[in-house]
Amino acid sequence: MDFEKLVEVYEELEKTSSGNALREILSGFFKKVPAEDIAVISYLTLGQISSDYDSSVLGLAEKSVLKGIAKAGGISEKEVKLIMDKKGDVGLTAEQVLHKKPRTLVPVGKLTVNELFEKLNKIAVTSGSGSQDQKTNILVSLFQKSSPIGAKYIARMVLGTLRMGVGDMTVIDSLTIAFTGDKKGKEEVEKAYNICPDVGIIAETLAKHGLKGINKIDIHVGRPIKMMLAQRLKSLDELPKKIGEKWAVEGKYDGERLQAHKDKNGKITLFSRKLDDITSQFPDLVRYLEKQIKAKEFVVEAEVIAIDDQGKHQPFQVLMQRKRKHDIEEYVKKIPVQAKMFDVLYYNGKSYLHESYEKRYEILHKIVSKSKNVTLSDRIITDDLSKLNDFFKQMLHEKYEGVMIKDLNGEYQAGTRGWNWIKWKKEYVKDLSDTFDLVVIGAFHGRGKRAGVYGALLCASYNPKNDQFETVCKLGTGLTDEALAELPNRLEKYKVNKKPSRVVISKEMIPDVWFEPKVVVEVLAAEITKSPYHTCANGLALRFPRFIRYREKKPEQATTSKEIEEMA
Ligand code: ATP
């Protein structure tokens, strides 16, 4: 397909801010896309050059892109820099420079979507000495083959700032409508996407085989599965109604969730809660898992915590020091870790997603040989609330977060916050309010002591039903002076000049600065109240919100409006 056709759609999307209109434009367009191009077009529309969990990055600095624009436009880098200073956007700079450029006498041919995709991937894999120049040259060849408006989008793609305002669930919904005729298959497609979070595979399967193909999608070792999440309860008395009379109760550890895959060739890959490949951060764990899990192939889950030399659990902040790119082996020695294994999703050629928890734990028990560094979660099975409470106290005594109560008959609900897992944390018991993971979508300029920095952040919950973000509080408390000072810098790359299309807001809350929904913060609040100004669940707000920490989560993994409504 000609890239310029995609550019026409992007121009339309850029002007649109309603979620339904976005879906309409996209589904109408997807219908016309040949099946062999649909995967590539789905990735590009999300600003990706492969699946979300693939770690390929384009790695082009703004300076190299400006150099590429100068070269393709036949003007000096200095002149390009002047235009950039005026426009403040690399895409608009590319468009203006290439607009002025006289057309060549010999036509260079049309840029197809496939050629663009291949070259973007080539830019991503080019490394070593002289690679920046090679990358820039590939970019120049792309600029030369595209229209000035096309160049605007190419420049944004290589910088990773393509902001169509389209979330992956909007693309998934639009694909469903395009290839099944309506929204009825939405649930089935979402289920498949939870097991296979690769929009390209979903798109191609839908286009070629429809819902029949979608329903056949299963676990594939090496491809992460969206992780199952836990519900909250107000009182343990509700347990029987929710998950029966007898429960498995495990420790809830405050570490890092990990999904470990071992393929037929023995290669082990570790994925984080965000589905990022974090294998290189934990070479020690890879070695332990190789030795201590007796299986040719597996997909298992664990919470990783830091321990001291005696094997005693260390706080979350200690583990965070292992999040690094350099001096990894030094930190392996300095901060040993322990994986508390709690689930198995695949074992020696068979998917266990739809088997009961009881059966899965049995397998886990069979294949894990325990040591200080790899062990099973602490666990009891009981039908007695007082025993559950004793175990809970014991877990708190060990300085764990609380317990996870699991339905013995429950299957693994990928990507779902279902009732098969229930979390019970110390905060609930002390009657403190729970924390919320919210998405930063805007900021207000500070006044008085905070002049020159942001005075408050505008935060939103996620509404998965329509793939939108709904405002729920202004957050100004809990940020230290240092944290406030570094906010503009931290948020700069997400700044956009108009309301992101997935944000739902009342006119009273319009912030001074808008951000693309990307950064997730954990917020503690005293209570949930009704508010005519906030859009969360049609008018809920958090009172006295307080910043706790940044969370390594995707915006779509934030607390949902429905959860806040249920807590209210
Ligand atoms: P929280 O902020 O409470 O950790 P969350 O949104 O990160 O919430 P939840 O679904 O609320 O995730 O809680 C599940 C998380 O708890 C898992 O993602 C996992 O990281 C962690 N966890 C700790 N111990 C266990 C366990 N035994 N079984 C399952 N998950 C566990």
Side-chain angles (χ1 to χ4, degrees):
M1 180 181 245
D2 185 352
F3 173 56
E4 297 305 323
K5 286 209 175 119
L6 189 58
V7 171
E8 280 169 28
V9 179
Y10 284 180
E11 285 287 282
E12 252 188 278
L13 291 177
E14 215 183 36
K15 287 188 218 118
T16 312
S17 65
S18 121
N20 280 340
L22 287 175
R23 278 182 192 80
E24 221 165 274
I25 298 170
L26 271 177
S27 57
F29 171 62
F30 287 158
K31 272 184 208 157
K32 293 184 243 154
V33 173
E36 60 272 17
D37 288 334
I38 193 74
V40 162
I41 285 178
S42 301
Y43 291 134
L44 289 177
T45 305
L46 287 171
Q48 296 169 195
I49 52 162
S50 60
S51 66
D52 198 13
Y53 58 83
D54 187 308
S55 45
S56 312
V57 274
L58 281 153
L60 260 189
E62 188 177 288
K63 216 172 131 209
S64 307
V65 181
L66 292 177
K67 198 168 161 186
I69 296 172
K71 231 173 163 181
I75 61 171
S76 72
E77 283 176 50
K78 218 167 156 190
E79 283 170 280
V80 172
K81 184 85 190 25
L82 283 176
I83 300 174
M84 173 65 193
D85 288 344
K86 247 197 240 151
K87 295 273 175 193
D89 174 87
V90 182
L92 295 175
T93 307
E95 184 181 351
Q96 177 165 337
V97 171
L98 294 171
H99 198 68
K100 285 191 180 150
K101 183 191 169 222
R103 295 278 105 188
T104 48
L105 287 176
V106 189
V108 279
K110 276 186 178 163
L111 180 63
T112 65
V113 169
N114 259 316
E115 184 183 346
L116 169 67
F117 192 72
E118 270 168 31
K119 289 201 166 153
L120 290 176
N121 273 284
K122 198 157 172 214
I123 291 177
V125 295
T126 304
S127 63
S129 72
S131 62
Q132 278 299 326
D133 281 346
Q134 279 169 306
K135 285 172 192 262
T136 310
N137 287 339
I138 302 174
L139 181 61
V140 172
S141 73
L142 288 172
F143 282 151
Q144 282 167 340
K145 273 185 132 181
S146 81
S147 68
I149 303 179
K152 169 174 85 179
Y153 292 105
I154 294 172
R156 288 179 185 164
M157 278 173 193
V158 291
L159 273 178
T161 56
L162 183 75
R163 287 169 184 142
M164 305 311 318
V166 181
D168 54 353
M169 290 327 288
T170 303
V171 171
I172 292 287
D173 281 0
S174 309
L175 287 165
T176 310
I177 299 167
F179 297 112
T180 69
D182 54 36
K183 281 196 268 188
K184 271 189 249 141
K186 188 176 148 114
E187 214 172 286
E188 286 158 83
V189 180
E190 274 182 25
K191 233 180 184 169
Y193 186 55
N194 282 336
I195 296 173
C196 165
D198 183 323
V199 80
I201 297 179
I202 298 287
E204 206 170 294
T205 308
L206 263 173
K208 289 189 175 159
H209 311 289
L211 281 181
K212 240 193 196 150
I214 283 293
N215 288 322
K216 283 196 196 132
I217 286 182
D218 204 347
I219 215 164
H220 178 86
V221 181
R223 182 175 72 201
I225 295 159
K226 283 205 199 175
M227 301 190 195
M228 176 169 170
L229 305 169
Q231 278 284 6
R232 339 171 140 71
L233 270 187
K234 270 206 201 89
S235 152
L236 287 179
D237 296 334
E238 293 172 53
L239 270 183
K241 205 172 71 207
K242 296 292 187 196
I243 57 170
E245 307 278 348
K246 195 172 168 192
W247 330 284
V249 191
E250 296 179 16
K252 185 176 195 303
Y253 314 100
D254 190 14
E256 172 150 26
R257 174 89 168 256
L258 196 95
Q259 198 176 81
H261 291 234
K262 179 177 166 188
D263 70 15
K264 277 193 188 115
N265 303 319
K267 182 175 170 228
I268 291 185
T269 313
L270 309 178
F271 294 102
S272 73
R273 164 86 185 264
K274 274 172 92 176
L275 310 187
D276 291 332
D277 183 339
I278 49 166
T279 316
S280 63
Q281 271 173 40
F282 294 108
D284 44 346
L285 261 183
V286 170
R287 295 191 284 264
Y288 301 135
L289 294 175
E290 258 162 13
K291 274 204 206 119
Q292 287 174 247
I293 299 195
K294 290 167 281 173
K296 276 207 185 78
E297 277 181 288
F298 62 69
V299 177
V300 291
E301 283 198 358
E303 187 82 357
V304 181
I305 54 178
I307 51 171
D308 65 11
D309 291 340
Q310 274 77 48
K312 241 191 135 23
H313 158 227
Q314 300 294 295
F316 179 71
Q317 289 73 11
V318 177
L319 178 75
M320 281 305 98
Q321 294 179 50
R322 290 285 306 261
K323 273 211 160 307
R324 58 196 314 117
K325 291 207 173 90
H326 306 288
D327 308 325
I328 290 178
E329 285 296 345
E330 184 192 330
Y331 275 78
V332 162
K333 284 195 202 108
K334 229 176 174 168
I335 303 173
V337 293
Q338 180 182 63
K340 295 267 196 190
M341 313 294 311
F342 59 73
D343 221 320
V344 56
L345 317 184
Y346 189 89
Y347 163 59
N348 286 356
K350 180 173 163 26
S351 164
Y352 281 81
L353 287 179
H354 304 298
E355 297 285 349
S356 70
Y357 161 85
E358 203 170 14
K359 172 95 195 199
R360 299 200 306 276
Y361 210 91
E362 205 177 279
I363 304 273
L364 196 64
H365 196 261
K366 192 174 88 182
I367 62 177
V368 174
S369 56
K370 292 196 266 178
S371 77
K372 192 173 93 180
N373 302 96
V374 175
T375 183
L376 294 178
S377 58
D378 307 87
R379 184 175 93 127
I380 58 163
I381 293 180
T382 184
D383 55 3
D384 183 343
L385 264 189
S386 68
K387 290 222 172 83
L388 192 163
N389 261 316
D390 288 346
F391 182 72
F392 175 65
K393 280 185 207 143
Q394 187 193 330
M395 291 298 104
L396 294 191
H397 184 73
E398 301 274 350
K399 303 247 175 332
Y400 298 140
E401 260 193 325
V403 292
M404 294 286 276
I405 307 162
K406 299 186 175 177
D407 184 343
L408 288 160
N409 300 314
E411 57 176 48
Y412 187 93
Q413 300 165 302
T416 308
R417 202 177 282 283
W419 285 104
N420 288 355
W421 287 6
I422 294 171
K423 54 182 170 181
W424 188 246
K425 303 203 289 190
K426 57 179 180 291
E427 286 87 351
Y428 305 172
V429 180
K430 284 195 213 142
D431 220 20
L432 291 175
S433 24
D434 199 1
T435 60
F436 304 82
D437 294 327
L438 304 176
V439 187
V440 179
I441 55 120
F444 300 90
H445 294 311
R447 295 200 191 95
K449 224 180 90 192
R450 290 188 173 179
V453 293
Y454 295 136
L457 298 175
L458 183 60
C459 299
S461 52
Y462 179 57
N463 182 341
K465 223 167 144 200
N466 46 22
D467 194 15
Q468 283 175 326
F469 297 93
E470 302 174 340
T471 73
V472 69
C473 70
K474 273 189 191 179
L475 177 68
T477 313
L479 287 150
T480 59
D481 288 346
E482 280 108 335
L484 274 172
E486 67 116 42
L487 263 181
N489 225 349
R490 182 184 272 266
L491 294 168
E492 180 63 29
K493 59 175 179 278
Y494 306 117
K495 224 163 151 182
V496 285
N497 52 18
K498 60 173 189 171
K499 182 185 85 65
S501 52
R502 289 197 292 160
V503 169
V504 190
I505 192 163
S506 73
K507 61 180 186 309
E508 288 82 3
M509 276 296 145
I510 305 290
D512 298 323
V513 182
W514 290 107
F515 299 117
E516 192 189 349
K518 276 275 188 248
V519 174
V520 179
V521 289
E522 185 175 358
V523 175
L524 183 77
E527 73 181 292
I528 303 166
T529 55
K530 285 216 161 118
S531 157
Y533 304 126
H534 284 288
T535 50
C536 168
N538 292 319
L540 290 179
L542 301 186
R543 278 193 76 198
F544 307 123
R546 184 177 186 82
F547 173 88
I548 305 287
R549 59 172 166 163
Y550 291 100
R551 296 273 344 228
E552 279 288 319
K553 276 190 169 181
K554 285 180 194 288
E556 290 84 2
Q557 292 172 333
T559 306
T560 63
S561 303
K562 192 158 167 251
E563 280 175 81
I564 297 179
E565 192 176 13
E566 277 164 7
M567 283 189 253

